[in-house]
Amino acid sequence: MTAAHPYAQLLGEREPFVVLEETRKRIPAIAQSLGPEGLKRTYAPGKWTAAQVLAHLADCEIAFGFRVRQIVAEPSLGIQTFDENRWARHYEGLDGLEAAHTFQALRAWNLSLFRLLDAEDLDKAAAHPERGPEKPGVVIRILAGHTLNHLAQLETILSGG
């Protein structure tokens, strides 16, 4: 069941729109504070650098924003999944600060749309190939929890731990 998605669980009882708005500002601020050298650090051995996490967050704004748009506009098409590791193949060559600014702009754009969705939009569902029917509200909750997960990684890098 989608409600049991680990990222939705990570969100807990928090309001997803509040989390999405707070992280829209917090993540680029962390990237700025890290500076060029900090963006090269990882949160744990063998894990993504801060710059790679930021690139992933920007990509996920595209992917999850598209999912919500697709569910609302064409739910019969189903949800397109993606392999984050394949998408990450080129993250090492991307600018982390640019990724943070891209994330921030895409998040603002997504929030603008999400806030306009009405009850009819939110009641639509599209089939996720692994989880079954998903509605926009669930995708938004997953996105918010996903962001909290990666925010914690960035905060670990920022704290030097």
Side-chain angles (χ1 to χ4, degrees):
M1 172 121 198
T2 305
H5 190 284
Y7 289 134
Q9 289 178 345
L10 185 58
L11 181 63
E13 297 300 315
R14 294 186 67 185
E15 168 57 43
F17 286 91
V18 171
V19 169
L20 293 172
E21 183 60 44
E22 288 172 355
T23 53
R24 177 183 74 84
K25 298 172 185 173
R26 177 75 180 131
I27 286 170
I30 290 173
Q32 192 71 43
S33 295
L34 285 169
E37 290 307 308
L39 290 168
K40 296 176 187 174
R41 293 197 312 259
T42 66
Y43 58 95
K47 299 296 185 180
W48 284 344
T49 64
Q52 290 169 318
V53 170
L54 292 162
H56 172 68
L57 285 168
D59 273 353
C60 286
E61 282 303 305
I62 294 168
F64 282 84
F66 178 79
R67 282 184 185 174
V68 170
R69 286 164 176 81
Q70 186 177 18
I71 293 169
V72 171
E74 302 181 75
S76 64
L77 292 179
I79 294 172
Q80 177 68 45
T81 62
F82 66 98
D83 181 334
E84 71 178 32
N85 292 317
R86 286 185 177 179
W87 284 35
R89 281 187 25 233
H90 301 291
Y91 286 172
E92 193 171 316
L94 296 175
D95 181 307
L97 198 52
E98 185 176 348
H101 293 306
T102 300
F103 161 82
Q104 187 173 35
L106 290 166
R107 172 61 58 85
W109 189 243
N110 282 336
L111 275 167
S112 294
L113 169 72
F114 298 166
R115 290 183 176 122
L116 292 175
L117 299 178
D118 60 23
E120 182 181 341
D121 293 326
L122 294 170
D123 197 43
K124 294 179 180 180
H128 187 287
E130 297 159 358
R131 298 190 294 265
E134 274 186 356
K135 294 183 177 186
V138 171
V139 175
I140 292 167
R141 288 186 58 77
I142 292 169
L143 176 61
H146 174 266
T147 307
L148 289 175
N149 176 66
H150 290 296
L151 174 63
Q153 295 167 352
L154 292 168
E155 288 176 335
T156 297
I157 295 168
L158 183 62
S159 71

Coordinates of all heavy atoms in Angstrom, one line a residue, residues 8 17-18 22 30-31 36 39-40 54 58 71 76 80 89 94 103 107 111-112 118-119 121 124 128 150:
A8 N 7.0 8.4 2.9 CA 5.7 8.9 3.4 C 5.7 8.7 5.0 O 5.3 9.6 5.7 CB 4.5 8.3 2.8
F17 N 3.1 20.3 2.6 CA 3.3 21.6 2.0 C 4.3 22.5 2.9 O 5.1 23.2 2.3 CB 2.0 22.3 1.7 CG 1.3 21.8 0.6 CD1 0.3 20.8 0.8 CD2 1.5 22.2 -0.7 CE1 -0.4 20.2 -0.3 CE2 0.8 21.6 -1.8 CZ -0.1 20.6 -1.6
V18 N 4.2 22.3 4.2 CA 5.1 23.1 5.1 C 6.5 22.6 4.9 O 7.4 23.3 4.8 CB 4.6 22.9 6.6 CG1 5.6 23.5 7.5 CG2 3.3 23.6 6.7
E22 N 9.6 24.7 3.5 CA 10.8 24.9 4.4 C 12.1 24.4 3.7 O 13.1 25.1 3.8 CB 10.6 24.2 5.7 CG 9.6 24.8 6.7 CD 9.3 24.0 7.9 OE1 9.8 22.8 8.0 OE2 8.6 24.5 8.8
I30 N 22.1 25.4 2.8 CA 23.1 24.5 3.2 C 24.2 24.4 2.1 O 25.4 24.4 2.4 CB 22.5 23.1 3.4 CG1 21.7 23.1 4.7 CG2 23.6 22.0 3.5 CD1 20.9 21.8 5.0
A31 N 23.7 24.3 0.8 CA 24.7 24.3 -0.3 C 25.6 25.5 -0.3 O 26.8 25.3 -0.5 CB 23.9 24.2 -1.6
P36 N 32.5 25.3 -2.2 CA 33.0 24.4 -3.1 C 33.7 23.1 -2.5 O 33.5 22.0 -3.0 CB 34.1 25.2 -3.9 CG 33.6 26.6 -3.7 CD 33.0 26.7 -2.4
L39 N 30.9 20.8 -0.8 CA 30.1 20.1 -1.8 C 30.7 18.8 -2.2 O 30.0 17.9 -2.8 CB 29.8 21.0 -2.9 CG 28.8 22.2 -2.6 CD1 28.8 23.2 -3.8 CD2 27.4 21.7 -2.3
K40 N 32.0 18.7 -2.0 CA 32.7 17.5 -2.4 C 32.7 16.4 -1.4 O 33.1 15.3 -1.6 CB 34.2 17.8 -2.8 CG 34.3 18.7 -4.0 CD 35.8 19.1 -4.2 CE 36.0 20.2 -5.2 NZ 37.4 20.6 -5.3
L54 N 22.5 17.0 -4.1 CA 21.8 18.1 -4.7 C 21.3 17.9 -6.1 O 20.2 18.3 -6.5 CB 22.6 19.4 -4.6 CG 22.9 19.9 -3.1 CD1 24.1 20.8 -3.1 CD2 21.7 20.5 -2.5
A58 N 17.3 17.8 -7.4 CA 16.8 18.6 -8.6 C 16.1 17.6 -9.5 O 15.0 17.9 -10.0 CB 18.0 19.3 -9.2
I71 N -0.6 12.4 -13.4 CA -1.8 11.8 -12.8 C -3.0 12.7 -13.0 O -4.1 12.2 -13.3 CB -1.5 11.6 -11.3 CG1 -0.5 10.5 -11.0 CG2 -2.8 11.2 -10.5 CD1 0.0 10.4 -9.6
S76 N -4.7 7.6 -17.0 CA -4.7 6.3 -17.6 C -3.3 5.8 -18.2 O -3.1 4.7 -18.5 CB -5.7 6.3 -18.8 OG -5.3 7.2 -19.8
Q80 N 5.5 6.5 -14.6 CA 6.8 6.1 -15.1 C 7.8 6.1 -14.0 O 7.9 7.1 -13.3 CB 7.2 7.1 -16.2 CG 8.6 6.8 -16.8 CD 8.6 5.5 -17.6 OE1 7.7 5.3 -18.4 NE2 9.6 4.7 -17.4
R89 N 24.6 8.6 -12.9 CA 25.8 8.4 -13.6 C 26.6 9.6 -13.9 O 27.9 9.6 -13.9 CB 25.6 7.6 -14.9 CG 25.3 6.2 -14.7 CD 25.2 5.4 -16.0 NE 26.0 6.0 -17.1 CZ 25.4 6.3 -18.3 NH1 24.1 6.0 -18.6 NH2 26.1 6.9 -19.3
L94 N 28.4 17.5 -12.3 CA 27.5 18.6 -12.2 C 27.9 19.5 -11.1 O 28.5 19.1 -10.1 CB 26.1 18.1 -12.0 CG 25.5 17.3 -13.2 CD1 24.1 16.8 -12.8 CD2 25.5 18.1 -14.5
F103 N 17.0 23.1 -8.0 CA 16.1 22.5 -7.0 C 15.1 23.5 -6.5 O 13.9 23.3 -6.5 CB 16.8 21.8 -5.9 CG 16.0 21.5 -4.7 CD1 15.2 20.4 -4.6 CD2 16.0 22.4 -3.6 CE1 14.3 20.2 -3.5 CE2 15.2 22.2 -2.5 CZ 14.3 21.1 -2.5
R107 N 11.2 23.4 -7.2 CA 10.3 23.3 -6.0 C 9.3 24.4 -5.9 O 8.1 24.1 -5.7 CB 11.2 23.2 -4.7 CG 10.5 23.2 -3.4 CD 9.5 22.0 -3.2 NE 10.1 20.7 -3.2 CZ 10.8 20.1 -2.2 NH1 10.9 20.7 -1.1 NH2 11.3 18.9 -2.4
L111 N 5.4 23.6 -6.1 CA 4.5 24.1 -5.1 C 3.3 25.0 -5.6 O 2.2 24.9 -5.2 CB 5.2 24.8 -4.0 CG 5.9 24.0 -2.9 CD1 6.9 24.8 -2.1 CD2 4.8 23.4 -2.0
S112 N 3.7 25.8 -6.6 CA 2.6 26.6 -7.2 C 1.5 25.8 -7.8 O 0.3 26.1 -7.6 CB 3.2 27.5 -8.3 OG 4.1 28.4 -7.8
D118 N -7.4 20.8 -6.9 CA -8.7 20.8 -6.2 C -9.0 19.3 -5.9 O -8.3 18.4 -6.2 CB -9.8 21.5 -7.0 CG -10.0 20.8 -8.4 OD1 -9.7 19.6 -8.6 OD2 -10.6 21.5 -9.3
A119 N -10.2 19.1 -5.2 CA -10.6 17.8 -4.8 C -10.7 16.8 -6.0 O -10.3 15.7 -5.8 CB -11.9 17.9 -4.1
D121 N -8.9 16.9 -8.8 CA -7.5 16.6 -9.1 C -6.9 15.5 -8.2 O -6.3 14.6 -8.6 CB -6.7 17.8 -9.2 CG -7.0 18.8 -10.2 OD1 -7.5 18.4 -11.3 OD2 -6.9 20.0 -10.0
K124 N -7.9 11.8 -8.4 CA -7.4 11.0 -9.6 C -6.3 10.1 -9.1 O -5.5 10.4 -8.2 CB -7.0 11.9 -10.7 CG -8.1 12.6 -11.3 CD -7.6 13.5 -12.4 CE -8.8 14.3 -13.0 NZ -8.4 15.2 -14.1
H128 N 1.0 2.9 -10.4 CA 2.5 2.8 -10.2 C 2.8 1.3 -10.4 O 2.1 0.4 -9.8 CB 2.9 3.2 -8.8 CG 4.4 3.3 -8.7 ND1 5.2 2.2 -8.6 CD2 5.2 4.4 -8.6 CE1 6.4 2.5 -8.5 NE2 6.5 3.9 -8.5
H150 N 17.1 13.4 2.4 CA 18.3 13.9 1.9 C 18.7 15.2 2.6 O 19.9 15.5 2.7 CB 18.1 14.1 0.4 CG 18.1 12.9 -0.4 ND1 19.1 12.0 -0.4 CD2 17.1 12.3 -1.1 CE1 18.8 10.9 -1.1 NE2 17.5 11.1 -1.5

